[in-house]
Amino acid sequence: MERPEPAEVSMSQAIQPAHANLRGELSAGQLLKWIDATACLAAEKHAGISCVTASVDDIQFEETARVGQVITIKAKVTRAFSTSMEISIKVIVQDMLTGIEKLVSVAFSTFVAKPVGKEKIHLKPVTLLTEQDHVEHNLASERRKVRLHHEDTFKNLMKENSEFDDPICDEEEGMVSTGGTAVQSIELVLPPHANHHGNTFGGQIMAWMESLATISASRLCRAHPLLKSVDMFKFRGPSAVGDRLVFNAIVNNTFQTCVEVGVRVEAFDCQEWSKGQGRHINSAFLIYNAVNDKEEMVTFPRIKPISKDDFRRYRGAIARKRIRLGRKYVTSHKEEVPVCVQWDISNQVSLSNANVEALKNLAAKSGWEVTSAVEKIKIYTLEEHDLLSVWVEKHVERPAHLTYHLLSDFTKRPLWDPHFVTYTVAVKSVLLPSVPPCPHYIRSEIICAGFLIRAIDSSSCTVSYFNQISASISPYFAGNLGGWSKSIEETAASCIKFIENATDGGLINTF
């Protein structure tokens, strides 16, 4: 039997009917309890003293598990800081009849060592045994930076969102308010709900939150909600046996086939309960898909904000979605996809036609969602499984034919694009016999990228840049989508200036 690594813990559970929901699937709340318990044990194995959950990063659920299957949760410390640790969690489901295993989730949480009395603690470093250990150790530092700047990033995005009229807020048929999705529940914390520190078990709180959020989501879609992910959140304070926990859940916003539900938790001891003065101990945001009785994905109605609080929650959901996209793609480690399309003179025409057709198909897809709008520039994103695409739309006060002439000339692109460092670029990567691969350089794959130009009138046009993002360029786009970089907007603004300052002959007046 394979022995776990020094700071690794493994938990296996056979899924029983008591663990499942009405569809016979493992309850997400039960899984969150198991995840938190396993992560806590891994943290304490490394620290040698009691530890408590400080925060949980985004948890993405890729697969569902059913009654009769086996869930295995592996948790290990990826990096120890002075008093806190990052825990990596991997969840696998195995079918007992076929032996087939599937990945359910990969998540990260932060635990803090809890010394006795005034004792000071400084955690020992993690022993790195494999190349993957070194990769995760380095990424842990990047993930920590994202966590520390999360609140500031969110505030900046909320300020940005308040400065433009979101097109989703425009009146359209079928829009609904969220008042009917509000749900409240109360739980009395009993000894079985407490952890070995005497406080309410963090996993139990997450399970109660998930249960209430599911009810809220179901009131909007009248279907079967499926938890897709849990947004990053912090535990703001403890609660103990005897406390009353009041949970309030409500839908914040919808995104095509996804809905975000916010849950707020307040704790009351007996004295606080009589005065009605609780302690805010946690807030979380859960994202759901939903299926109907035919197992078809449901499209949620668009939300119509009415009150000031509705607009705050509505815009907050948009900001959190941007941050989730950024964190998802900037902190993940994906292998570079090698360039595999061969080019020669005989297939030049077919490749060019295929590139144009692929770009037009990408632009015509439904589900594009606005993530940023600043003056003449709008940025949209489209997520399809593990594939992220970006659409940057620019309003230009120049004729469409002149704009096409300028943008199709790649020798002029370095004049406005600071990321463009060579004169030879294809909108789809190909292998050229005249330029064989070189071991000293990494060739990054461009899957599908290019410009679409549409005339508004005789003197202005709309320029749309599309890019189906590959692993090599995802960190560049992710930083922008996540809110901690403005490089896309800056490059787009430079492109507008380049076009509008050009003469009809394509020459630059002042730049």
Side-chain angles (χ1 to χ4, degrees), residues 401-508:
H401 72 276
L402 174 60
T403 301
Y404 171 77
H405 171 73
L406 293 168
L407 294 180
S408 61
D409 185 352
F410 281 112
T411 64
K412 292 185 172 64
R413 188 159 174 177
L415 295 173
W416 60 268
D417 188 351
H419 307 284
F420 195 91
V421 294
T422 176
Y423 287 122
T424 306
V425 163
V427 292
K428 175 165 178 64
S429 301
V430 295
L431 290 172
L432 296 172
S434 58
V435 188
C438 176
H440 302 296
Y441 298 95
I442 297 175
R443 291 185 173 180
S444 299
E445 172 81 358
I446 296 175
I447 303 172
C448 176
F451 294 95
L452 290 181
I453 302 165
R454 292 185 175 89
I456 298 174
D457 51 39
S458 60
S459 62
S460 64
C461 64
T462 298
V463 177
S464 294
Y465 173 73
F466 294 87
N467 195 312
Q468 203 168 52
I469 295 175
S470 61
S472 57
I473 60 173
S474 63
Y476 160 63
F477 281 100
N480 206 119
L481 298 175
W484 52 87
S485 169
K486 292 294 181 185
S487 56
I488 295 179
E489 286 94 336
E490 290 166 358
T491 303
S494 182
C495 178
I496 294 172
K497 186 177 179 182
F498 163 74
I499 295 170
E500 293 184 345
N501 286 349
T503 64
D504 287 346
L507 301 176
I508 306 301

Side-chain angles (χ1 to χ4, degrees), residues 177-178 304-315:
S177 67
T178 60
K304 180 181 179 181
I306 298 173
S307 68
K308 184 177 180 180
D309 189 59
D310 287 345
F311 275 96
R312 176 188 62 81
R313 292 185 292 102
Y314 178 93
R315 291 191 169 115

Side-chain angles (χ1 to χ4, degrees), residues 55 123 134 150 171 198 210 227 291 304 331 335 384 426 488:
S55 67
L123 296 170
H134 285 274
H150 173 70
E171 290 285 343
E210 187 276 332
L227 186 62
V291 294
K304 180 181 179 181
T331 61
E335 295 295 328
E384 301 171 294
I488 295 179

Side-chain angles (χ1 to χ4, degrees), residues 220-244:
L220 181 70
C221 64
R222 305 297 179 185
H224 304 288
L226 306 174
L227 186 62
K228 178 184 177 184
S229 66
V230 181
D231 205 21
M232 184 174 81
F233 65 92
K234 294 181 180 180
F235 286 91
R236 298 172 178 268
S239 63
V241 172
D243 279 351
R244 290 88 174 148

Side-chain angles (χ1 to χ4, degrees), residues 180-490:
T181 67
V183 189
Q184 185 180 87
S185 184
I186 183 171
E187 298 286 349
L188 176 62
V189 182
L190 300 173
H193 303 141
N195 59 23
H196 51 304
H197 310 307
N199 294 326
T200 314
F201 178 40
Q204 179 63 69
I205 293 176
M206 288 191 282
W208 281 331
M209 296 172 86
E210 187 276 332
S211 177
L212 200 68
T214 301
I215 296 172
S216 178
S218 66
R219 288 185 174 180
L220 181 70
C221 64
R222 305 297 179 185
H224 304 288
L226 306 174
L227 186 62
K228 178 184 177 184
S229 66
V230 181
D231 205 21
M232 184 174 81
F233 65 92
K234 294 181 180 180
F235 286 91
R236 298 172 178 268
S239 63
V241 172
D243 279 351
R244 290 88 174 148
L245 302 187
V246 176
F247 298 79
N248 285 284
I250 191 169
V251 167
N252 292 330
N253 205 343
T254 60
F255 305 95
Q256 301 289 329
T257 58
C258 297
V259 58
E260 182 194 274
V261 181
V263 186
R264 178 185 173 93
V265 188
E266 292 183 318
F268 301 78
D269 60 24
C270 285
Q271 190 174 10
E272 293 166 336
W273 187 246
S274 64
K275 295 179 179 179
Q277 298 174 346
R279 291 165 280 127
H280 179 201
I281 63 169
N282 206 348
S283 286
F285 304 94
L286 299 89
I287 294 84
Y288 289 86
N289 295 134
V291 294
N292 58 24
D293 290 335
K294 298 179 180 179
E295 297 297 313
E296 298 168 334
M297 193 76 76
V298 171
T299 298
F300 289 95
R302 293 198 172 192
I303 298 303
K304 180 181 179 181
I306 298 173
S307 68
K308 184 177 180 180
D309 189 59
D310 287 345
F311 275 96
R312 176 188 62 81
R313 292 185 292 102
Y314 178 93
R315 291 191 169 115
I318 296 173
R320 280 184 292 272
K321 187 174 189 296
R322 283 189 62 179
I323 295 172
R324 278 195 299 274
L325 278 175
R327 283 202 302 262
K328 178 179 178 181
Y329 290 97
V330 81
T331 61
S332 61
H333 177 66
K334 295 184 178 180
E335 295 295 328
E336 181 64 49
V337 178
V339 180
C340 57
V341 178
Q342 296 282 347
W343 180 92
D344 60 55
I345 194 66
S346 65
N347 67 358
Q348 179 180 2
V349 174
S350 62
L351 280 177
S352 297
N353 291 338
N355 288 345
V356 172
E357 192 64 27
L359 183 63
K360 290 166 68 176
N361 289 338
L362 178 61
K365 287 185 177 182
S366 61
W368 288 98
E369 294 171 350
V370 64
T371 60
S372 175
V374 180
E375 296 180 352
K376 295 182 176 182
I377 303 163
K378 289 182 182 177
I379 299 177
Y380 302 79
T381 56
L382 175 67
E383 271 199 296
E384 301 171 294
H385 306 292
D386 275 342
L387 204 59
L388 175 68
S389 300
V390 171
W391 165 15
V392 184
E393 184 182 82
K394 303 175 280 288
H395 180 82
V396 180
E397 297 294 338
R398 297 294 275 169
H401 72 276
L402 174 60
T403 301
Y404 171 77
H405 171 73
L406 293 168
L407 294 180
S408 61
D409 185 352
F410 281 112
T411 64
K412 292 185 172 64
R413 188 159 174 177
L415 295 173
W416 60 268
D417 188 351
H419 307 284
F420 195 91
V421 294
T422 176
Y423 287 122
T424 306
V425 163
V427 292
K428 175 165 178 64
S429 301
V430 295
L431 290 172
L432 296 172
S434 58
V435 188
C438 176
H440 302 296
Y441 298 95
I442 297 175
R443 291 185 173 180
S444 299
E445 172 81 358
I446 296 175
I447 303 172
C448 176
F451 294 95
L452 290 181
I453 302 165
R454 292 185 175 89
I456 298 174
D457 51 39
S458 60
S459 62
S460 64
C461 64
T462 298
V463 177
S464 294
Y465 173 73
F466 294 87
N467 195 312
Q468 203 168 52
I469 295 175
S470 61
S472 57
I473 60 173
S474 63
Y476 160 63
F477 281 100
N480 206 119
L481 298 175
W484 52 87
S485 169
K486 292 294 181 185
S487 56
I488 295 179
E489 286 94 336
E490 290 166 358

Side-chain angles (χ1 to χ4, degrees), residues 130-180:
T130 66
E131 181 181 348
Q132 186 61 28
D133 288 344
H134 285 274
V135 170
E136 291 298 339
H137 185 267
N138 293 332
L139 286 173
S141 180
E142 296 302 312
R143 287 188 286 262
R144 186 168 187 259
K145 291 177 184 177
V146 172
R147 292 182 201 112
L148 294 175
H149 291 95
H150 173 70
E151 290 189 10
D152 288 340
T153 302
F154 178 74
K155 289 177 182 176
N156 290 337
L157 289 178
M158 284 294 283
K159 182 180 179 181
E160 179 183 307
N161 286 347
S162 66
E163 292 174 353
F164 70 91
D165 293 327
D166 191 300
I168 301 178
C169 289
D170 294 341
E171 290 285 343
E172 70 173 55
E173 187 178 351
M175 294 182 75
V176 298
S177 67
T178 60

